[in-house]
Amino acid sequence: MTAEHGKRRFLTIEQVAEELNSKSSLIRNLIHTGELRAFQVGARGLWRVGRQDLEDYIADAYRRTADRIAAGELADDVPEGE
C-alpha cells in the first residue's frame, strides 16, 4: 500500500488540528467562518473535513500569504525557531 492509499479521505477536527499543528478551537473557528469546508455526519453531527478540502485550504493559505508579502503587508523574513 502506498502512502497515498493509507491516508484517510475524511478527517476529524482533531486530526486536522494535528496536521496543521494547531488547536481544535482554531479548526472549529475556520469551519464556522467558512474558511475551511466541512460537513456534519450522523445523528450526533460529528464534523468531518475532506482531505482535499484541507489541501485546498493549505494551498490557499500559501497563496494569501504570498500576496500579503508582495503587497508589503507582511515581512518576508521567517522568525528563527519557526
Side-chain angles (χ1 to χ4, degrees):
M1 179 185 307
T2 66
E4 188 65 31
H5 289 136
K7 291 183 179 181
R8 295 177 184 225
R9 182 173 179 189
F10 300 105
L11 304 168
T12 65
I13 287 175
E14 291 75 20
Q15 289 168 328
V16 173
E18 185 176 324
E19 289 271 334
L20 295 177
N21 196 26
S22 64
K23 296 185 184 238
S24 296
S25 58
L26 172 63
I27 305 308
R28 289 184 204 301
N29 187 52
L30 291 172
I31 291 169
H32 178 73
T33 61
E35 290 181 65
L36 177 61
R37 283 177 30 132
F39 62 96
Q40 290 185 296
V41 177
R44 292 179 44 204
L46 302 174
W47 286 98
R48 294 294 180 265
V49 176
R51 180 158 294 282
Q52 188 59 53
D53 291 318
L54 176 58
E55 295 301 328
D56 292 346
Y57 170 79
I58 293 168
D60 192 49
Y62 275 121
R63 183 197 52 76
R64 286 191 316 266
T65 301
D67 289 348
R68 291 182 67 197
I69 290 170
E73 296 174 15
L74 294 175
D76 61 355
D77 58 329
V78 178
E80 290 192 32
E82 291 285 317

